[in-house]
Amino acid sequence: MILIIGGAYQGKLTYAMEVLGISREQVCDCQREPVDFSKRCIWHMEQACLACVEKGVEPKDYFQAHRAQWQDSVLICRDIFGGVVPVDATCREWRQATARLCQYLAGEATQVSRIFCGLEQRLK
Amino acid sequence: MICFISGGAKNGKSTLAQNLAAALSRGGKRYYIATMIPVDEEDRERIRRHIADREGMEFETIECGKNILSCLDQADREGTFLLDSATALLMNELFPVERSYALDPGAAERCKRELVEFARSVRNAVIVSDYIYDGAEEYDAMTEQYRRGLAGIDRALAAVSDVVAEVAAGQVILHKGVLPG
């Protein structure tokens, strides 16, 4: 599994498509649909985390339970961890739960890349 | 050589940019492109601080808050240009003061095109931007348009730059190329 992180609009999906050879049909966009592990690439993973948090489910537990299904996947998550601690409790929990998930997935990943202004920074 | 620098606020981007511009110019002309159009005392104070920072560095200041290519009319393209910052430039273009800050929808693309052309037209440039992409906050549609526009500019400039550096707490994270100097 390859984990791609980075801030908004940095070119994370573009990197997955141009460098890792992901096609648009292989992408599950969690901003528009529930997470679908049959797709090779999970995009906007932070939105899947938000759906978990709103249901009272820990995203890390959810992903761990489906571990076998994303072993060869490309997982893309927006870096939402900077800035001021959000005032809204759900937003606060979402931010922390997403960060916990990223740490877990980074441990499992064969490659972790951060995309900065369209350029890849290899973290693992 | 074109250097692109980004990072968080007050992390040392301008200081690095000034040092890089000095290293690149090697006795040639040095231009500081002042992009901020001050609207209040806070802006004027920030400008005073930046001017004090540049004292003794022999930069010729060119005021150019919009239409970046126009600054080339009054400068030698063989010189070294310090453009600080793309962030302010886009703000001025996207929310023009003469239109009471009403959004100009074509501004981000135009600004990107002009900045890339600027980078291709001069011998040396150091261009500073701001990394505003890693918060969890929800922004209004206008702010998102600004963020998306600036990210497009950043990515286009990073692609055509020889050096791409991120600054964090005054430390440099090199993403592309080798720092001059």
Side-chain angles (χ1 to χ4, degrees), chain A residues 8-9 78, chain B residues 132-133 139 143-151:
Chain A
Y9 314 119
R78 176 158 62 96
Chain B
I132 54 171
Y133 312 108
Y139 295 103
T143 308
E144 279 306 324
Q145 200 155 348
Y146 176 69
R147 292 212 307 166
R148 197 178 308 119
L150 188 63

Side-chain angles (χ1 to χ4, degrees), chain B residues 3 5 42 44 60 66 85 90 103 107-108 114 120-121 124 132-133 145 149-150 159:
Chain B
C3 302
I5 298 171
E42 190 180 331
R44 280 185 280 273
E60 183 181 319
K66 295 186 76 171
S85 60
L90 177 63
L103 180 101
E114 290 178 356
R120 287 189 167 137
S121 304
N124 296 312
I132 54 171
Y133 312 108
Q145 200 155 348
L150 188 63

Side-chain angles (χ1 to χ4, degrees), chain A residues 10 19 23 31 39 42 49 51 56 60 72 80-81 83 98 103:
Chain A
Q10 295 304 295
V19 179
S23 70
Q31 201 150 42
K39 298 278 180 76
I42 307 295
C49 290
K60 181 182 168 235
D72 298 315
I80 54 167
F81 316 117
T98 306
Q103 283 209 49

Side-chain angles (χ1 to χ4, degrees), chain B residues 55-123:
Chain B
E55 222 172 54
M57 294 187 83
E58 290 165 3
F59 279 101
E60 183 181 319
T61 299
I62 302 176
E63 300 282 346
C64 188
K66 295 186 76 171
N67 308 314
I68 190 61
L69 292 169
S70 68
C71 81
L72 297 177
D73 299 343
Q74 35 179 326
D76 175 5
R77 293 173 187 221
E78 291 298 303
T80 299
F81 295 77
L82 170 50
L83 198 167
D84 192 353
S85 60
T87 322
L89 195 66
L90 177 63
M91 184 69 90
N92 300 336
E93 299 265 10
L94 202 57
F95 307 109
V97 59
E98 67 276 14
R99 286 178 45 188
S100 309
Y101 305 106
L103 180 101
D104 175 356
E109 271 307 308
R110 185 180 66 239
C111 197
K112 178 169 86 177
R113 217 170 38 239
E114 290 178 356
L115 275 167
V116 168
E117 192 179 333
F118 172 79
R120 287 189 167 137
S121 304
V122 299
R123 173 177 286 275

Side-chain angles (χ1 to χ4, degrees), chain A residues 39-93:
Chain A
K39 298 278 180 76
R40 212 183 131 209
C41 176
I42 307 295
W43 183 32
H44 290 131
M45 193 175 72
E46 71 282 358
Q47 294 302 319
C49 290
L50 182 59
C52 282
V53 168
E54 285 172 342
K55 280 185 263 177
V57 175
E58 173 69 33
K60 181 182 168 235
D61 295 343
Y62 180 78
F63 273 73
Q64 214 161 14
H66 293 83
R67 191 172 178 279
Q69 291 172 268
W70 46 257
Q71 284 305 301
D72 298 315
S73 301
V74 174
L75 306 179
I76 303 179
C77 188
R78 176 158 62 96
D79 179 345
I80 54 167
F81 316 117
V84 178
V85 174
V87 177
D88 178 73
T90 305
C91 188
R92 206 157 57 230
E93 178 50 26

